[in-house]
Amino acid sequence: MSGSTVPAGPPVEREMQLPTDVPDAVCLMGPTCTGKTALALRLAGQFPVEIVSVDSALVYRGLDVGTSKPTAAELAAVPHHLIDICDPGDPYSAGRFRRDALACIEAISARQRVPLLVGGTMLYFRALTHGLAPLPEADAEVRAAIDAEARAHGWPALHQQLAALDPVAAARIRPLDGQRIQRALEVWRLTGERISDLQQRAEPAPVRLARFALMPLERADLYRRIEDRFDAMMAAGFLAEVRRLHSRGDLSADLPSLRAVGYRQLWQHLDGKVSLEEAVEAARQATRNLAKRQLTWLRADPDISWIRGVEDADLVPISDAVRRACGKWAVQRLC
């Protein structure tokens, strides 16, 4: 008919046009004992998310009490990933985490849900966001030789050796951090190259990440939480859990799983090296030190947005990021 028009449909697609900063996944970081798990579960109650653990201890089966592993009810309420995926005798690495996390992000996105990466292992977050250097695989013979030198001369002496070879790496590694001193020296002995140089060749993640960190309470309050949680873990059977691992006979204190805070100190007690009281106090102090290192790492990254509380107003930025990630599924269904 002359002059007639076809009624226009509602401008749904125009209204739901995606912004350019839609993330593929949302990261929730923060020091230990700041409430990351509770906040993640709260977000999961509001949005279609699946939680990907970014915790170097939660990957191990049998490390439950001392890691504050999510309860059976929490695991049933929200899909969780990268928890209980390997035996304590099977070392898990940052490289393995990166591969597993990227696979999780892809699979969760394919289900039209939002990957929410939650945890406090900053090395794993860095591996995901900044990539990994082309480093050689671990060499048992080279590591054994370095360990023998450490037993003979102490890790500070090997740290001095590293400082002469790679001052950049030595400047960011503590003189008693045997694990990282060993790795840096191992890389030099295997490749003839400095680990600090190789780390400059890492490639960033092939996904877009919105990154948030939960600011802790006042330091005194954070330390009180750390002590209260450790006391609660001891009451819940933490020592018995470590004793079960110790009695297996095939595990040692050198394994990454048993270097976890709390496990390392209680293992020393079971080895007869320290009293239980000394082990408990050492574990508390180690947890406080861990929180300090986590904060230092987070504050050094200008691209992280801070959540300074868990009031609704403080959660708007991270909620908006999850909402934007959800929005792409609505737009795709309309196209």
mmCIF file of all heavy atoms in Angstrom, residues 3 45 47 66 75 87 93 130 154 183 199 201 211 219 255 260 271 318 334:
data_model
loop_
_atom_site.group_PDB
_atom_site.id
_atom_site.type_symbol
_atom_site.label_atom_id
_atom_site.label_comp_id
_atom_site.label_asym_id
_atom_site.label_seq_id
_atom_site.Cartn_x
_atom_site.Cartn_y
_atom_site.Cartn_z
ATOM 1 N N GLY A 3 2.537 4.505 0.773
ATOM 2 C CA GLY A 3 2.696 5.259 2.020
ATOM 3 C C GLY A 3 2.719 4.412 3.258
ATOM 4 O O GLY A 3 2.909 4.933 4.352
ATOM 5 N N GLY A 45 25.550 -16.476 43.280
ATOM 6 C CA GLY A 45 24.121 -16.463 43.554
ATOM 7 C C GLY A 45 23.360 -15.448 42.722
ATOM 8 O O GLY A 45 22.125 -15.497 42.658
ATOM 9 N N PHE A 47 24.688 -14.345 39.386
ATOM 10 C CA PHE A 47 25.009 -14.448 37.965
ATOM 11 C C PHE A 47 25.346 -15.896 37.597
ATOM 12 O O PHE A 47 25.726 -16.693 38.463
ATOM 13 C CB PHE A 47 26.229 -13.567 37.634
ATOM 14 C CG PHE A 47 26.055 -12.113 37.961
ATOM 15 C CD1 PHE A 47 26.604 -11.582 39.126
ATOM 16 C CD2 PHE A 47 25.341 -11.274 37.117
ATOM 17 C CE1 PHE A 47 26.448 -10.243 39.427
ATOM 18 C CE2 PHE A 47 25.179 -9.925 37.421
ATOM 19 C CZ PHE A 47 25.733 -9.408 38.566
ATOM 20 N N GLY A 66 43.666 -27.824 55.947
ATOM 21 C CA GLY A 66 44.658 -26.759 55.967
ATOM 22 C C GLY A 66 44.574 -25.796 54.813
ATOM 23 O O GLY A 66 45.267 -24.778 54.801
ATOM 24 N N LEU A 75 30.605 -26.850 46.919
ATOM 25 C CA LEU A 75 30.982 -27.438 45.633
ATOM 26 C C LEU A 75 29.759 -27.892 44.846
ATOM 27 O O LEU A 75 29.753 -27.847 43.609
ATOM 28 C CB LEU A 75 31.924 -28.616 45.861
ATOM 29 C CG LEU A 75 33.311 -28.277 46.418
ATOM 30 C CD1 LEU A 75 34.074 -29.543 46.779
ATOM 31 C CD2 LEU A 75 34.110 -27.457 45.415
ATOM 32 N N ASP A 87 47.323 -35.774 42.827
ATOM 33 C CA ASP A 87 47.818 -36.332 44.084
ATOM 34 C C ASP A 87 48.919 -35.437 44.642
ATOM 35 O O ASP A 87 49.651 -34.794 43.866
ATOM 36 C CB ASP A 87 48.363 -37.734 43.814
ATOM 37 C CG ASP A 87 48.820 -38.421 45.081
ATOM 38 O OD1 ASP A 87 47.955 -38.960 45.802
ATOM 39 O OD2 ASP A 87 50.042 -38.394 45.357
ATOM 40 N N SER A 93 52.380 -27.218 38.467
ATOM 41 C CA SER A 93 53.201 -26.051 38.151
ATOM 42 C C SER A 93 52.355 -24.905 37.613
ATOM 43 O O SER A 93 51.190 -25.073 37.241
ATOM 44 C CB SER A 93 54.242 -26.429 37.097
ATOM 45 O OG SER A 93 53.594 -26.751 35.863
ATOM 46 N N HIS A 130 50.261 -12.664 32.113
ATOM 47 C CA HIS A 130 51.471 -12.197 31.441
ATOM 48 C C HIS A 130 52.178 -13.284 30.642
ATOM 49 O O HIS A 130 53.158 -13.009 29.961
ATOM 50 C CB HIS A 130 52.446 -11.619 32.468
ATOM 51 C CG HIS A 130 51.947 -10.380 33.133
ATOM 52 N ND1 HIS A 130 51.094 -10.415 34.230
ATOM 53 C CD2 HIS A 130 52.146 -9.069 32.865
ATOM 54 C CE1 HIS A 130 50.817 -9.176 34.612
ATOM 55 N NE2 HIS A 130 51.438 -8.348 33.805
ATOM 56 N N GLY A 154 74.295 -23.717 52.479
ATOM 57 C CA GLY A 154 73.140 -22.893 52.814
ATOM 58 C C GLY A 154 72.620 -22.120 51.613
ATOM 59 O O GLY A 154 73.382 -21.784 50.694
ATOM 60 N N ARG A 183 65.463 -22.928 41.082
ATOM 61 C CA ARG A 183 64.963 -22.857 39.712
ATOM 62 C C ARG A 183 65.804 -21.908 38.863
ATOM 63 O O ARG A 183 66.137 -22.216 37.707
ATOM 64 C CB ARG A 183 63.496 -22.413 39.709
ATOM 65 C CG ARG A 183 62.855 -22.329 38.320
ATOM 66 C CD ARG A 183 62.985 -23.650 37.575
ATOM 67 N NE ARG A 183 62.220 -23.641 36.332
ATOM 68 C CZ ARG A 183 62.466 -24.445 35.299
ATOM 69 N NH1 ARG A 183 63.470 -25.313 35.346
ATOM 70 N NH2 ARG A 183 61.726 -24.387 34.210
ATOM 71 N N GLN A 199 62.373 -14.654 30.984
ATOM 72 C CA GLN A 199 61.036 -14.255 31.420
ATOM 73 C C GLN A 199 60.511 -13.048 30.661
ATOM 74 O O GLN A 199 59.306 -12.779 30.683
ATOM 75 C CB GLN A 199 61.038 -13.990 32.923
ATOM 76 C CG GLN A 199 61.125 -15.267 33.747
ATOM 77 C CD GLN A 199 61.374 -15.036 35.208
ATOM 78 O OE1 GLN A 199 61.894 -13.979 35.609
ATOM 79 N NE2 GLN A 199 61.025 -16.000 36.045
ATOM 80 N N ARG A 201 60.398 -12.905 27.546
ATOM 81 C CA ARG A 201 59.863 -13.409 26.277
ATOM 82 C C ARG A 201 58.481 -14.040 26.413
ATOM 83 O O ARG A 201 57.973 -14.655 25.484
ATOM 84 C CB ARG A 201 60.833 -14.443 25.683
ATOM 85 C CG ARG A 201 62.247 -13.915 25.508
ATOM 86 C CD ARG A 201 63.175 -15.015 25.036
ATOM 87 N NE ARG A 201 64.577 -14.615 25.172
ATOM 88 C CZ ARG A 201 65.605 -15.444 24.992
ATOM 89 N NH1 ARG A 201 65.369 -16.717 24.686
ATOM 90 N NH2 ARG A 201 66.843 -15.021 25.140
ATOM 91 N N ARG A 211 40.169 -7.772 36.127
ATOM 92 C CA ARG A 211 40.861 -8.220 37.335
ATOM 93 C C ARG A 211 40.547 -7.312 38.521
ATOM 94 O O ARG A 211 40.666 -6.093 38.429
ATOM 95 C CB ARG A 211 42.371 -8.264 37.084
ATOM 96 C CG ARG A 211 42.735 -9.286 35.997
ATOM 97 C CD ARG A 211 44.231 -9.437 35.876
ATOM 98 N NE ARG A 211 44.849 -8.207 35.386
ATOM 99 C CZ ARG A 211 46.081 -7.817 35.712
ATOM 100 N NH1 ARG A 211 46.803 -8.540 36.556
ATOM 101 N NH2 ARG A 211 46.582 -6.722 35.214
ATOM 102 N N ARG A 219 45.415 -4.045 59.131
ATOM 103 C CA ARG A 219 46.386 -5.133 59.287
ATOM 104 C C ARG A 219 46.147 -5.937 60.564
ATOM 105 O O ARG A 219 46.222 -7.166 60.559
ATOM 106 C CB ARG A 219 47.805 -4.565 59.259
ATOM 107 C CG ARG A 219 48.871 -5.629 59.400
ATOM 108 C CD ARG A 219 50.247 -5.095 59.097
ATOM 109 N NE ARG A 219 50.356 -4.673 57.711
ATOM 110 C CZ ARG A 219 51.496 -4.281 57.148
ATOM 111 N NH1 ARG A 219 52.608 -4.257 57.875
ATOM 112 N NH2 ARG A 219 51.534 -3.920 55.882
ATOM 113 N N LEU A 255 58.305 -31.610 48.241
ATOM 114 C CA LEU A 255 57.258 -31.539 47.222
ATOM 115 C C LEU A 255 56.524 -30.206 47.303
ATOM 116 O O LEU A 255 56.300 -29.669 48.393
ATOM 117 C CB LEU A 255 56.262 -32.676 47.421
ATOM 118 C CG LEU A 255 56.753 -34.076 47.032
ATOM 119 C CD1 LEU A 255 55.805 -35.133 47.589
ATOM 120 C CD2 LEU A 255 56.872 -34.198 45.510
ATOM 121 N N ALA A 260 53.234 -25.869 51.117
ATOM 122 C CA ALA A 260 52.127 -24.954 51.413
ATOM 123 C C ALA A 260 52.190 -24.513 52.871
ATOM 124 O O ALA A 260 52.561 -25.287 53.758
ATOM 125 C CB ALA A 260 50.791 -25.641 51.121
ATOM 126 N N ASP A 271 58.325 -34.565 61.818
ATOM 127 C CA ASP A 271 59.691 -35.057 61.613
ATOM 128 C C ASP A 271 60.529 -34.946 62.886
ATOM 129 O O ASP A 271 61.694 -35.348 62.896
ATOM 130 C CB ASP A 271 60.374 -34.267 60.491
ATOM 131 C CG ASP A 271 60.022 -34.799 59.107
ATOM 132 O OD1 ASP A 271 59.506 -35.937 59.026
ATOM 133 O OD2 ASP A 271 60.260 -34.091 58.119
ATOM 134 N N ILE A 318 32.856 -4.946 40.115
ATOM 135 C CA ILE A 318 33.021 -6.349 39.740
ATOM 136 C C ILE A 318 31.692 -6.935 39.261
ATOM 137 O O ILE A 318 31.651 -7.738 38.329
ATOM 138 C CB ILE A 318 33.618 -7.181 40.897
ATOM 139 C CG1 ILE A 318 34.006 -8.582 40.388
ATOM 140 C CG2 ILE A 318 32.678 -7.286 42.088
ATOM 141 C CD1 ILE A 318 34.823 -9.389 41.380
ATOM 142 N N LEU A 334 20.418 -13.180 19.983
ATOM 143 C CA LEU A 334 19.583 -12.348 19.154
ATOM 144 C C LEU A 334 20.067 -12.271 17.726
ATOM 145 O O LEU A 334 19.322 -11.895 16.820
ATOM 146 C CB LEU A 334 19.505 -10.930 19.734
ATOM 147 C CG LEU A 334 18.731 -10.810 21.071
ATOM 148 C CD1 LEU A 334 18.957 -9.429 21.656
ATOM 149 C CD2 LEU A 334 17.257 -11.046 20.849
#
